[in-house]
């Protein structure tokens, strides 16, 4: 059930779900919920619902979250990834913003993120492109995050600068297309590789990263190695799952509201899964006659492109 934070005035036409995974975050959860820019979002026509996906906290996390107007979803299974999977299956909103509950990420940037989500499927808040406050991230973690990001880029061919960030924004359609499997701290690597596999367009905004008031649940070395191994496994599995020549067409809505039938194709050169329309099943005609490499991050060419060699038409699925 969707429970929205009360507001006065402006009319909302779309919805945004703010998703916060928590495990014993009583020291910070109140501030995170307070910082959700409900009024600003409403001015942009967005009604906000805050969901706290709690993994059996033994402190007052849930009580505080309820007091602040959030909806609690209890996740019995362990791990941040389990919480995110449950949230993404339960919510049905036009946009979803995922943010950690330890008050280290600027959730007040949600409005800016939803603006970008009008053009992109996914927005990532990048700490490494932004500013890391003193004491917020150890040198080991800076190194680990940088190495994991370079690995993700090399494996999936998409340029992002902070693959492990805890601040992500999604269009609702994009959330429904993710096939997530990670239960622990590999969830961001899973989200990233799914975005790559599904050919979703990704934008980044630089963010300020704050220090945690409490101790972290993540273990730098153990979880870092797990995340690296997860990225490699996902890449290998993606290779084995291709090409999907006999895949069933899927009906999706493009940015301008049309419905088109798409089938999966494997784009060997870019090592990514693309979505290719079947001309006989749609009335969509190519609007461009060139292939733009790296176009995943270009808002002006993202909607429809044609590979002149194969005559495949690639659409972003919004
Ligand atoms: N539901 C649920 N949430 C969790 C679990 N483990 C961690 N979280 C939440 O996931 C978010 C990220 O966890 P952190 O411990 O901050 O991990 P991190 O941000 O990667 O590590 P730091 O940079 O050291 O803070 C926080 O809001 C946690 O409360 C879990 O088992 N279940
Ligand atoms: Mg944290």
């Amino acid at each position: 059930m969707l429970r929205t934070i009360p507001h006065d005035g402006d009319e909302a036409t779309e919805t945004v779900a703010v998703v916060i995974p928590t495990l014993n975050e009583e020291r910070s959860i109140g501030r995170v919920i307070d910082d959700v820019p409900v009024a600003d979002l409403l001015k942009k026509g967005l009604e906000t619902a805050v969901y706290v996906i709690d993994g059996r906290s033994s402190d007052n996390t849930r009580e505080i979250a309820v007091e602040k107007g959030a909806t609690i979803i209890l996740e019995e299974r362990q791990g941040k990834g389990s919480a995110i999977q449950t949230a993404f299956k339960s919510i049905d909103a036009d946009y979803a913003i995922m943010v950690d509950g330890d008050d280290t990420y600027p959730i007040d940037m949600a409005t800016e993120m939803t603006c970008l989500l009008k053009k992109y499927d996914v927005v990532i808040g990048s700490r490494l492109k932004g500013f890391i406050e003193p004491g917020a991230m150890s040198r080991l973690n800076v190194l680990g995050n940088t190495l994991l990001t370079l690995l993700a880029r090399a494996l999936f061919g998409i340029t992002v600068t902070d693959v492990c960030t805890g601040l992500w924004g999604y269009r609702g359609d994009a959330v429904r297309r993710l096939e997530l499997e990670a239960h622990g701290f590999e969830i961001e690597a899973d989200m990233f590789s799914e975005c790559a596999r599904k050919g979703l367009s990704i934008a980044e905004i630089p963010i300020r990263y704050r220090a945690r008031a409490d101790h972290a649940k993540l273990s730098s070395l153990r979880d870092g190695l797990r995340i690296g191994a997860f990225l490699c496994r996902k890449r290998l599995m993606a290779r084995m799952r291709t090409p999907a020549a006999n895949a069933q067409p899927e009906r999706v809505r493009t940015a301008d509201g049309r419905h088109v039938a798409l089938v999966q194709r494997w784009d060997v050169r870019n090592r990514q899964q693309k979505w290719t329309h079947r001309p006989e099943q749609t009335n969509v005609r190519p609007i461009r006659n060139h292939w733009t490499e790296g176009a995943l991050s270009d808002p002006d060419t993202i909607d429809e492109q044609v590979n002149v060699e194969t005559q495949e038409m690639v659409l972003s699925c919004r």
Side-chain angles (χ1 to χ4, degrees), residues 22-29 54 56-64 214 217:
T22 56
L23 183 62
N24 296 328
E25 301 289 7
E26 67 177 7
R27 292 179 68 174
S28 49
I29 187 63
D54 189 63
R56 288 169 168 246
S57 290
S58 53
D59 65 3
N60 289 319
T61 302
R62 290 195 295 275
E63 287 77 359
I64 296 168
D214 220 338
K217 279 113 205 158

Side-chain angles (χ1 to χ4, degrees), residues 146-157 192 227-229 231-232:
T146 308
L147 290 177
L148 287 170
T149 298
L150 291 175
L151 178 67
R153 283 160 65 151
L155 289 173
F156 292 93
F192 171 76
I227 293 167
L231 281 167
C232 295

Side-chain angles (χ1 to χ4, degrees), residues 21-23 25 53-55 78-80 83 100-102 185 209 212 216-218:
T22 56
L23 183 62
E25 301 289 7
I53 300 77
D54 189 63
Q78 264 195 338
K80 178 181 178 183
D100 284 357
D102 58 358
F185 286 111
Y209 185 59
R212 217 187 198 293
K217 279 113 205 158
L218 171 136

